[in-house]
Amino acid sequence: CLGDAGTGMSPQVDPLQELLPGLPAGLPEGLRNYWYPLLQSEQLPREAERPVAVRALGEDLVAWRNAEGGPCVAIDRCPHRAIKLSVGRVLDGDLSCVLHGLRFDGSGRCSLIPWEAERSPPHERLCLKAYPAQELGGYIWAYLGDAKAFPPPPLESEVPQELLQPESFIWFRLPTQIWKASWLIAIDGSDAYHAVVLHTASQSAADIASQGGVPLQDRRIEIVRTSHGVRGVSVDLQGRPIGHGHFTSDVKGDRFALPCVSTNPIVPAPGAPAYASRLWQFPQDAQHTMVVRFITFRAGNEAERERATRTFHEVARARLDKVAEEDAWAAEAQGDLLESRRHEHLLAPDEDVVKVRRLITRDRKSTRLNSSHGYISYAVFC
């Protein structure tokens, strides 16, 4: 560029772009123009007088509730003197800067400058960048993107069906986690054949006795192709299946959905009701991933809801916590994205990993700047 030529300095080269030329610029910071579950509802109490700080897609954000109790999300910087608004207050549903008392409503409009007359010119200049926000299914969602250029689709069209059908499903939210790894590594780790190795002692299994009866050194993996992608089935030396907990049939929809959602259908124990595990894995920044997860059971009556609740508390919860712990340290153990991609050698069962990478890359390169597509088909068991 001219600036570099004028100083005699060489232009800066992004090492990721230089060594991974197929990786679109900005992808490590995530896909924009999508709805993301930033907080669980109870993390933003209706009576709270203080806003909440949250980081996503490389941006520091602030969340609060307006006078009607609806969620609001904006950039966490006062446009006056750049102090974080998350250290401020919520007054009459507006966000108030702790330094000089300027206030902003949920649309980002400056509603008060304490020393100015109402609607003076400075009010127009000092607008706050805000994002559309909504509450659904126990989560606070924000559309992180350019809402003017790419108007957000209805949130209801972008979430799994169970969040819209509480009469037919019951779901259990799990604690949100932060992993010290790129979201692209975290997404790779949702492949459907690692579980029979990494989670051999913790993963839900359809036949616990059979699994425990075959030593690790005598186990192998059979790769099967299903309606929802490649699956790994644990087998013994004679090729007989060992309980592994994952469905290989009777599943509809996609295992992965843009921008960052993976689904795994699970049978937690012999005779227990099946459930689907949902994971949103999106970047706080290029080095940290926010992992939002819940599990969902089909439950159309009170008896099914009670059974699902018992299964969650007595069987599934402890295993889910252990699986998440193992997935987190496995992702972190791969190093940063550059190190991980430079040293990998993909094999035949990684075909789904390649498909997901291409889907994400194609979306990032899209001339629509990753505007939501409206064709999301979340995997569910029949």
Coordinates of all heavy atoms in Angstrom, one line a residue, residues 251-329:
V251 N -32.7 -40.5 12.3 CA -32.4 -39.2 12.6 C -32.7 -38.3 11.4 O -32.3 -38.7 10.2 CB -30.9 -39.0 13.0 CG1 -30.6 -37.5 13.2 CG2 -30.7 -39.8 14.3
K252 N -33.4 -37.2 11.5 CA -33.7 -36.3 10.4 C -32.9 -35.0 10.6 O -32.6 -34.6 11.8 CB -35.2 -36.0 10.4 CG -36.1 -37.1 10.1 CD -37.5 -36.7 10.1 CE -38.4 -37.9 9.8 NZ -39.9 -37.5 9.9
G253 N -32.6 -34.3 9.5 CA -31.9 -33.0 9.6 C -30.4 -33.1 9.6 O -29.8 -34.2 9.3
D254 N -29.7 -32.0 9.8 CA -28.3 -31.9 9.6 C -27.6 -32.0 11.0 O -28.0 -31.4 12.0 CB -27.9 -30.6 8.9 CG -28.5 -30.5 7.6 OD1 -28.6 -31.5 6.9 OD2 -29.0 -29.4 7.2
R255 N -26.4 -32.6 11.0 CA -25.6 -32.7 12.2 C -25.0 -31.3 12.6 O -24.9 -31.0 13.7 CB -24.5 -33.7 12.1 CG -23.7 -34.0 13.4 CD -22.6 -34.9 13.2 NE -21.6 -34.4 12.3 CZ -20.6 -33.5 12.6 NH1 -20.6 -33.1 13.9 NH2 -19.8 -33.0 11.8
F256 N -24.7 -30.6 11.5 CA -24.1 -29.2 11.7 C -25.0 -28.2 11.0 O -25.5 -28.4 9.9 CB -22.7 -29.1 11.2 CG -22.1 -27.8 11.3 CD1 -21.6 -27.3 12.5 CD2 -22.1 -26.9 10.3 CE1 -21.0 -26.1 12.6 CE2 -21.6 -25.6 10.4 CZ -21.1 -25.2 11.6
A257 N -25.3 -27.1 11.7 CA -26.0 -26.0 11.1 C -25.3 -24.7 11.3 O -24.8 -24.4 12.4 CB -27.4 -25.9 11.7
L258 N -25.3 -23.9 10.3 CA -24.7 -22.5 10.4 C -25.4 -21.7 11.4 O -26.6 -21.9 11.6 CB -24.7 -21.8 9.0 CG -23.7 -22.3 8.0 CD1 -24.1 -21.7 6.6 CD2 -22.3 -22.1 8.4
P259 N -24.7 -20.9 12.2 CA -23.3 -20.5 12.0 C -22.4 -21.5 12.8 O -21.2 -21.5 12.5 CB -23.3 -19.1 12.6 CG -24.3 -19.1 13.7 CD -25.4 -20.0 13.2
C260 N -22.9 -22.2 13.8 CA -21.9 -22.9 14.7 C -22.6 -24.0 15.5 O -22.1 -24.2 16.6 CB -21.2 -21.9 15.6 SG -22.4 -21.0 16.6
V261 N -23.6 -24.6 15.0 CA -24.4 -25.5 15.9 C -24.2 -27.0 15.5 O -24.4 -27.4 14.4 CB -25.9 -25.2 15.8 CG1 -26.7 -25.9 16.9 CG2 -26.2 -23.7 15.9
S262 N -23.8 -27.8 16.5 CA -23.7 -29.2 16.3 C -24.7 -30.0 17.1 O -25.0 -29.6 18.2 CB -22.3 -29.7 16.7 OG -21.3 -29.1 15.9
T263 N -25.2 -31.1 16.6 CA -26.2 -31.9 17.3 C -25.8 -33.3 17.3 O -25.3 -33.9 16.3 CB -27.6 -31.8 16.5 OG1 -28.0 -30.4 16.5 CG2 -28.6 -32.7 17.2
N264 N -25.9 -33.9 18.5 CA -25.7 -35.4 18.6 C -26.9 -36.1 19.3 O -27.2 -35.7 20.4 CB -24.4 -35.6 19.5 CG -23.2 -35.4 18.7 OD1 -22.9 -36.0 17.7 ND2 -22.3 -34.5 19.2
P265 N -27.5 -37.0 18.6 CA -28.6 -37.8 19.2 C -27.9 -38.9 20.1 O -27.0 -39.6 19.7 CB -29.3 -38.4 18.1 CG -28.8 -37.7 16.8 CD -27.4 -37.3 17.2
I266 N -28.4 -39.1 21.3 CA -27.8 -40.0 22.3 C -28.9 -40.9 22.9 O -30.0 -40.5 23.2 CB -27.2 -39.1 23.4 CG1 -26.1 -38.2 22.9 CG2 -26.6 -40.1 24.5 CD1 -24.9 -38.9 22.3
V267 N -28.5 -42.1 23.2 CA -29.2 -43.1 24.0 C -28.4 -43.2 25.3 O -27.4 -43.8 25.3 CB -29.4 -44.5 23.4 CG1 -30.2 -45.4 24.3 CG2 -30.0 -44.3 22.0
P268 N -28.9 -42.6 26.4 CA -28.0 -42.5 27.6 C -27.8 -43.8 28.4 O -26.8 -43.9 29.1 CB -28.7 -41.5 28.5 CG -30.1 -41.5 28.1 CD -30.1 -41.9 26.6
A269 N -28.7 -44.7 28.3 CA -28.6 -46.0 29.1 C -29.7 -46.9 28.5 O -30.7 -46.5 27.9 CB -28.9 -45.7 30.6
P270 N -29.5 -48.2 28.8 CA -30.5 -49.2 28.3 C -31.9 -48.8 28.8 O -32.2 -48.6 30.0 CB -30.1 -50.5 28.9 CG -28.6 -50.3 29.1 CD -28.4 -48.9 29.5
G271 N -32.9 -48.7 27.9 CA -34.3 -48.4 28.2 C -34.6 -47.0 28.6 O -35.7 -46.6 28.8
A272 N -33.5 -46.1 28.6 CA -33.8 -44.7 28.9 C -34.2 -44.0 27.7 O -33.9 -44.3 26.5 CB -32.5 -44.1 29.4
P273 N -35.0 -42.9 27.8 CA -35.4 -42.1 26.7 C -34.2 -41.4 26.0 O -33.3 -41.0 26.6 CB -36.3 -41.0 27.3 CG -35.9 -40.9 28.7 CD -35.5 -42.3 29.1
A274 N -34.3 -41.3 24.7 CA -33.2 -40.7 23.9 C -33.3 -39.2 24.0 O -34.4 -38.6 24.3 CB -33.3 -41.1 22.4
Y275 N -32.2 -38.5 23.7 CA -32.2 -37.1 23.7 C -31.3 -36.6 22.6 O -30.5 -37.3 22.1 CB -31.8 -36.5 25.1 CG -30.4 -36.8 25.6 CD1 -29.3 -36.1 25.1 CD2 -30.3 -37.8 26.5 CE1 -28.1 -36.3 25.6 CE2 -29.0 -38.0 27.0 CZ -27.9 -37.3 26.5 OH -26.6 -37.6 27.0
A276 N -31.4 -35.3 22.3 CA -30.5 -34.7 21.3 C -29.7 -33.6 22.1 O -30.2 -32.8 22.9 CB -31.2 -34.0 20.2
S277 N -28.4 -33.6 21.9 CA -27.5 -32.6 22.5 C -27.2 -31.5 21.5 O -26.8 -31.8 20.4 CB -26.2 -33.3 22.9 OG -25.2 -32.4 23.4
R278 N -27.4 -30.3 21.9 CA -27.2 -29.1 21.0 C -26.0 -28.3 21.6 O -26.0 -28.0 22.8 CB -28.4 -28.2 21.0 CG -29.8 -28.9 20.7 CD -29.9 -29.2 19.3 NE -31.4 -29.4 19.0 CZ -31.8 -30.0 17.9 NH1 -30.9 -30.4 17.0 NH2 -33.1 -30.2 17.7
L279 N -25.1 -28.0 20.7 CA -24.0 -27.1 21.1 C -23.8 -26.0 20.1 O -23.7 -26.2 18.9 CB -22.7 -27.9 21.1 CG -22.5 -29.0 22.1 CD1 -23.0 -30.3 21.5 CD2 -21.0 -29.2 22.4
W280 N -23.8 -24.7 20.6 CA -23.4 -23.6 19.9 C -21.9 -23.3 20.3 O -21.6 -23.2 21.5 CB -24.2 -22.3 20.2 CG -25.5 -22.2 19.5 CD1 -25.8 -21.4 18.5 CD2 -26.7 -22.9 19.8 NE1 -27.1 -21.5 18.1 CE2 -27.7 -22.5 18.9 CE3 -27.1 -23.9 20.8 CZ2 -29.0 -23.0 18.9 CZ3 -28.4 -24.4 20.8 CH2 -29.3 -23.9 19.9
Q281 N -21.0 -23.3 19.3 CA -19.6 -23.0 19.6 C -19.1 -21.9 18.8 O -18.9 -22.0 17.6 CB -18.8 -24.3 19.3 CG -19.2 -25.5 20.2 CD -18.5 -26.8 19.7 OE1 -18.8 -27.2 18.6 NE2 -17.8 -27.4 20.6
F282 N -19.1 -20.7 19.4 CA -18.7 -19.5 18.6 C -17.7 -18.7 19.3 O -17.5 -18.8 20.6 CB -20.0 -18.7 18.3 CG -20.8 -18.2 19.5 CD1 -20.5 -17.0 20.1 CD2 -21.7 -19.0 20.1 CE1 -21.3 -16.6 21.2 CE2 -22.5 -18.6 21.2 CZ -22.3 -17.4 21.7
P283 N -16.9 -17.9 18.6 CA -15.8 -17.2 19.2 C -16.1 -16.1 20.2 O -16.9 -15.2 19.8 CB -14.9 -16.7 18.0 CG -15.9 -16.6 16.9 CD -17.0 -17.6 17.2
Q284 N -15.5 -16.1 21.3 CA -15.4 -14.8 22.1 C -14.4 -13.9 21.3 O -14.7 -12.7 21.1 CB -14.8 -15.1 23.5 CG -15.8 -15.4 24.5 CD -15.2 -15.2 25.9 OE1 -14.0 -15.5 26.2 NE2 -16.0 -14.6 26.8
D285 N -13.3 -14.5 20.9 CA -12.3 -13.9 20.1 C -11.6 -15.0 19.4 O -12.0 -16.2 19.4 CB -11.4 -13.0 20.9 CG -10.7 -13.7 22.1 OD1 -10.4 -14.9 21.9 OD2 -10.6 -13.1 23.1
A286 N -10.5 -14.7 18.7 CA -9.8 -15.7 17.9 C -9.2 -16.8 18.7 O -8.9 -17.9 18.2 CB -8.7 -15.1 17.0
Q287 N -9.0 -16.6 20.0 CA -8.3 -17.6 20.9 C -9.3 -18.3 21.9 O -8.9 -19.2 22.6 CB -7.2 -17.0 21.6 CG -6.0 -16.6 20.7 CD -6.2 -15.3 20.1 OE1 -6.8 -14.3 20.7 NE2 -5.8 -15.1 18.8
H288 N -10.5 -17.8 22.0 CA -11.4 -18.3 23.0 C -12.8 -18.6 22.4 O -13.3 -17.8 21.6 CB -11.6 -17.4 24.2 CG -10.3 -17.1 24.9 ND1 -9.4 -16.1 24.5 CD2 -9.8 -17.6 26.0 CE1 -8.4 -16.1 25.3 NE2 -8.6 -17.0 26.3
T289 N -13.4 -19.7 22.8 CA -14.7 -20.2 22.3 C -15.7 -20.2 23.4 O -15.5 -20.8 24.5 CB -14.6 -21.6 21.6 OG1 -13.7 -21.5 20.5 CG2 -15.9 -22.1 21.2
M290 N -16.9 -19.6 23.1 CA -18.0 -19.7 24.0 C -18.8 -21.0 23.6 O -19.2 -21.1 22.4 CB -18.9 -18.5 24.0 CG -20.0 -18.5 25.0 SD -21.1 -17.0 24.9 CE -19.9 -15.8 25.4
V291 N -19.1 -21.8 24.6 CA -19.8 -23.1 24.3 C -21.2 -23.0 25.0 O -21.2 -23.0 26.3 CB -19.0 -24.3 24.7 CG1 -19.8 -25.6 24.4 CG2 -17.7 -24.3 24.0
V292 N -22.3 -22.9 24.3 CA -23.6 -22.9 24.8 C -24.3 -24.2 24.5 O -24.3 -24.6 23.3 CB -24.4 -21.7 24.3 CG1 -25.8 -21.7 24.8 CG2 -23.7 -20.4 24.6
R293 N -24.8 -24.9 25.5 CA -25.3 -26.3 25.2 C -26.6 -26.6 26.0 O -26.7 -26.1 27.1 CB -24.3 -27.3 25.4 CG -23.7 -27.3 26.8 CD -22.4 -28.0 26.9 NE -21.9 -28.0 28.3 CZ -21.9 -29.0 29.1 NH1 -22.2 -30.2 28.7 NH2 -21.4 -28.8 30.4
F294 N -27.5 -27.3 25.4 CA -28.6 -27.9 26.1 C -28.9 -29.2 25.5 O -28.5 -29.6 24.4 CB -29.8 -27.0 26.1 CG -30.5 -26.8 24.8 CD1 -31.4 -27.7 24.3 CD2 -30.2 -25.7 24.0 CE1 -32.1 -27.5 23.1 CE2 -30.8 -25.5 22.8 CZ -31.8 -26.4 22.3
I295 N -29.7 -30.0 26.3 CA -30.2 -31.3 25.7 C -31.7 -31.3 25.7 O -32.3 -30.6 26.5 CB -29.7 -32.5 26.5 CG1 -30.2 -32.6 27.9 CG2 -28.1 -32.5 26.5 CD1 -30.0 -34.0 28.5
T296 N -32.3 -32.0 24.7 CA -33.7 -31.9 24.6 C -34.3 -33.3 24.4 O -33.7 -34.2 23.7 CB -34.1 -31.1 23.4 OG1 -35.5 -31.1 23.2 CG2 -33.5 -31.6 22.1
F297 N -35.4 -33.6 25.1 CA -36.1 -34.8 25.0 C -37.5 -34.6 24.3 O -38.1 -33.5 24.6 CB -36.4 -35.4 26.4 CG -35.2 -35.8 27.2 CD1 -34.5 -34.9 27.8 CD2 -34.8 -37.2 27.3 CE1 -33.4 -35.3 28.6 CE2 -33.7 -37.6 28.0 CZ -33.0 -36.6 28.7
R298 N -38.0 -35.5 23.6 CA -39.4 -35.5 23.2 C -40.2 -35.8 24.4 O -40.0 -36.8 25.1 CB -39.7 -36.4 22.1 CG -39.2 -36.0 20.7 CD -39.7 -36.9 19.6 NE -39.2 -36.4 18.3 CZ -39.8 -35.5 17.6 NH1 -40.9 -34.9 18.0 NH2 -39.3 -35.1 16.4
A299 N -41.2 -35.0 24.7 CA -42.0 -35.2 25.9 C -43.4 -34.6 25.7 O -43.5 -33.4 25.9 CB -41.4 -34.7 27.2
G300 N -44.4 -35.4 25.3 CA -45.7 -34.8 25.0 C -46.7 -34.9 26.1 O -47.8 -34.4 26.0
N301 N -46.3 -35.5 27.3 CA -47.2 -35.5 28.4 C -46.4 -35.5 29.7 O -45.2 -35.5 29.7 CB -48.1 -36.8 28.3 CG -47.3 -38.1 28.3 OD1 -46.4 -38.3 29.1 ND2 -47.5 -38.9 27.3
E302 N -47.1 -35.4 30.8 CA -46.4 -35.2 32.1 C -45.6 -36.4 32.5 O -44.5 -36.3 33.0 CB -47.5 -35.0 33.2 CG -46.9 -34.4 34.5 CD -46.1 -33.2 34.3 OE1 -46.5 -32.3 33.5 OE2 -45.0 -33.0 35.0
A303 N -46.0 -37.6 32.1 CA -45.2 -38.8 32.5 C -43.9 -38.8 31.7 O -42.9 -39.2 32.3 CB -46.0 -40.1 32.1
E304 N -43.9 -38.4 30.4 CA -42.7 -38.4 29.6 C -41.8 -37.3 30.1 O -40.6 -37.4 30.1 CB -43.1 -38.2 28.2 CG -43.7 -39.4 27.5 CD -44.1 -39.1 26.1 OE1 -44.2 -37.9 25.7 OE2 -44.4 -40.1 25.4
R305 N -42.4 -36.2 30.6 CA -41.6 -35.1 31.1 C -40.9 -35.5 32.4 O -39.7 -35.2 32.7 CB -42.4 -33.9 31.4 CG -43.0 -33.3 30.1 CD -44.0 -32.2 30.4 NE -43.3 -31.0 30.7 CZ -42.8 -30.1 29.8 NH1 -42.9 -30.4 28.5 NH2 -42.2 -29.0 30.2
E306 N -41.6 -36.2 33.3 CA -41.0 -36.7 34.5 C -39.9 -37.7 34.3 O -38.8 -37.7 34.9 CB -42.1 -37.3 35.4 CG -43.1 -36.3 36.0 CD -44.2 -36.9 36.8 OE1 -44.2 -38.2 36.9 OE2 -45.0 -36.2 37.3
R307 N -40.1 -38.6 33.3 CA -39.1 -39.6 32.9 C -37.9 -38.9 32.4 O -36.7 -39.3 32.7 CB -39.7 -40.6 31.9 CG -38.8 -41.7 31.6 CD -39.4 -42.7 30.6 NE -38.6 -43.8 30.3 CZ -38.5 -44.3 29.1 NH1 -39.3 -43.9 28.1 NH2 -37.8 -45.4 28.8
A308 N -38.1 -37.9 31.5 CA -36.9 -37.2 31.0 C -36.2 -36.5 32.1 O -34.9 -36.4 32.1 CB -37.4 -36.2 29.9
T309 N -36.9 -35.9 33.0 CA -36.2 -35.2 34.1 C -35.4 -36.1 34.9 O -34.2 -35.7 35.3 CB -37.3 -34.4 34.9 OG1 -38.0 -33.5 34.1 CG2 -36.7 -33.7 36.1
R310 N -35.9 -37.3 35.2 CA -35.1 -38.2 36.0 C -33.9 -38.7 35.2 O -32.8 -38.8 35.8 CB -36.0 -39.5 36.3 CG -37.1 -39.2 37.4 CD -37.6 -40.5 38.0 NE -38.1 -41.4 36.9 CZ -39.3 -41.4 36.4 NH1 -40.2 -40.6 36.9 NH2 -39.6 -42.3 35.5
T311 N -34.1 -38.9 34.0 CA -32.9 -39.4 33.1 C -31.8 -38.3 33.1 O -30.6 -38.6 33.2 CB -33.4 -39.7 31.7 OG1 -34.3 -40.7 31.7 CG2 -32.2 -40.1 30.8
F312 N -32.2 -37.0 33.0 CA -31.3 -36.0 33.0 C -30.5 -35.9 34.3 O -29.3 -35.9 34.3 CB -31.9 -34.6 32.7 CG -31.0 -33.4 32.9 CD1 -30.0 -33.2 31.9 CD2 -31.1 -32.6 34.0 CE1 -29.2 -32.1 32.1 CE2 -30.3 -31.5 34.1 CZ -29.3 -31.3 33.1
H313 N -31.2 -35.9 35.4 CA -30.5 -35.7 36.7 C -29.8 -37.0 37.2 O -28.7 -36.9 37.8 CB -31.5 -35.3 37.8 CG -32.1 -33.9 37.5 ND1 -31.3 -32.8 37.7 CD2 -33.3 -33.4 37.2 CE1 -32.0 -31.7 37.5 NE2 -33.2 -32.0 37.1
E314 N -30.3 -38.1 36.9 CA -29.8 -39.4 37.4 C -28.7 -40.0 36.5 O -27.8 -40.8 36.9 CB -30.9 -40.4 37.7 CG -31.8 -39.9 38.8 CD -33.0 -40.9 38.9 OE1 -33.0 -41.9 38.3 OE2 -33.9 -40.6 39.7
V315 N -28.8 -39.8 35.2 CA -27.9 -40.4 34.2 C -27.1 -39.5 33.4 O -25.9 -39.5 33.3 CB -28.8 -41.4 33.3 CG1 -27.9 -42.1 32.3 CG2 -29.6 -42.4 34.1
A316 N -27.8 -38.6 32.7 CA -27.2 -37.8 31.7 C -26.3 -36.7 32.2 O -25.2 -36.4 31.6 CB -28.2 -37.2 30.7
R317 N -26.7 -35.9 33.2 CA -26.0 -34.7 33.6 C -24.5 -35.0 33.9 O -23.6 -34.2 33.4 CB -26.7 -34.1 34.8 CG -26.0 -32.8 35.3 CD -25.9 -31.7 34.3 NE -25.0 -30.7 34.7 CZ -25.4 -29.6 35.3 NH1 -26.7 -29.4 35.7 NH2 -24.6 -28.6 35.6
A318 N -24.2 -35.9 34.7 CA -22.8 -36.2 35.1 C -22.0 -36.6 33.9 O -20.8 -36.1 33.8 CB -22.7 -37.3 36.2
R319 N -22.6 -37.3 33.0 CA -21.8 -37.7 31.8 C -21.6 -36.6 30.9 O -20.5 -36.4 30.3 CB -22.6 -38.9 31.1 CG -22.7 -40.1 31.9 CD -23.4 -41.2 31.2 NE -23.5 -42.4 32.0 CZ -24.2 -43.5 31.7 NH1 -24.8 -43.5 30.5 NH2 -24.2 -44.5 32.5
L320 N -22.6 -35.7 30.7 CA -22.5 -34.5 29.9 C -21.4 -33.6 30.4 O -20.6 -33.0 29.6 CB -23.8 -33.8 29.8 CG -24.9 -34.5 29.0 CD1 -26.3 -33.8 29.4 CD2 -24.7 -34.3 27.5
D321 N -21.3 -33.4 31.7 CA -20.3 -32.6 32.3 C -18.9 -33.2 32.0 O -18.0 -32.4 31.7 CB -20.5 -32.5 33.8 CG -21.7 -31.6 34.1 OD1 -22.2 -30.9 33.3 OD2 -22.1 -31.6 35.3
K322 N -18.8 -34.5 32.1 CA -17.5 -35.1 31.9 C -17.1 -35.0 30.4 O -15.9 -34.7 30.0 CB -17.5 -36.6 32.3 CG -16.2 -37.3 32.2 CD -15.1 -36.7 33.1 CE -13.8 -37.5 33.1 NZ -12.7 -36.8 33.9
V323 N -18.1 -35.3 29.5 CA -17.8 -35.2 28.1 C -17.4 -33.7 27.7 O -16.4 -33.6 26.9 CB -19.1 -35.5 27.3 CG1 -19.0 -35.1 25.8 CG2 -19.3 -37.1 27.3
A324 N -18.0 -32.7 28.3 CA -17.6 -31.3 28.0 C -16.2 -31.1 28.5 O -15.4 -30.4 27.8 CB -18.6 -30.4 28.6
E325 N -15.9 -31.6 29.6 CA -14.5 -31.4 30.2 C -13.5 -32.0 29.2 O -12.4 -31.4 28.9 CB -14.4 -32.0 31.6 CG -13.1 -32.0 32.2 CD -13.0 -32.7 33.5 OE1 -14.1 -32.9 34.2 OE2 -11.9 -33.1 33.9
E326 N -13.8 -33.2 28.7 CA -12.8 -33.9 27.8 C -12.7 -33.2 26.5 O -11.6 -33.0 26.0 CB -13.3 -35.4 27.7 CG -13.2 -36.2 28.9 CD -13.9 -37.5 28.9 OE1 -14.7 -37.7 27.9 OE2 -13.7 -38.4 29.7
D327 N -13.9 -32.7 26.0 CA -13.8 -32.0 24.7 C -13.0 -30.7 24.8 O -12.3 -30.3 23.9 CB -15.2 -31.7 24.2 CG -15.9 -32.9 23.6 OD1 -15.2 -33.8 23.0 OD2 -17.2 -33.0 23.6
A328 N -13.2 -30.0 26.0 CA -12.5 -28.8 26.2 C -11.0 -29.0 26.2 O -10.2 -28.3 25.5 CB -13.0 -28.1 27.5
W329 N -10.5 -29.9 27.0 CA -9.1 -30.0 27.0 C -8.5 -30.7 25.8 O -7.3 -30.4 25.4 CB -8.6 -30.8 28.3 CG -8.9 -32.2 28.6 CD1 -9.7 -32.6 29.6 CD2 -8.5 -33.4 27.9 NE1 -9.8 -34.0 29.6 CE2 -9.1 -34.5 28.6 CE3 -7.6 -33.6 26.8 CZ2 -8.8 -35.8 28.2 CZ3 -7.4 -34.9 26.4 CH2 -8.0 -36.0 27.1

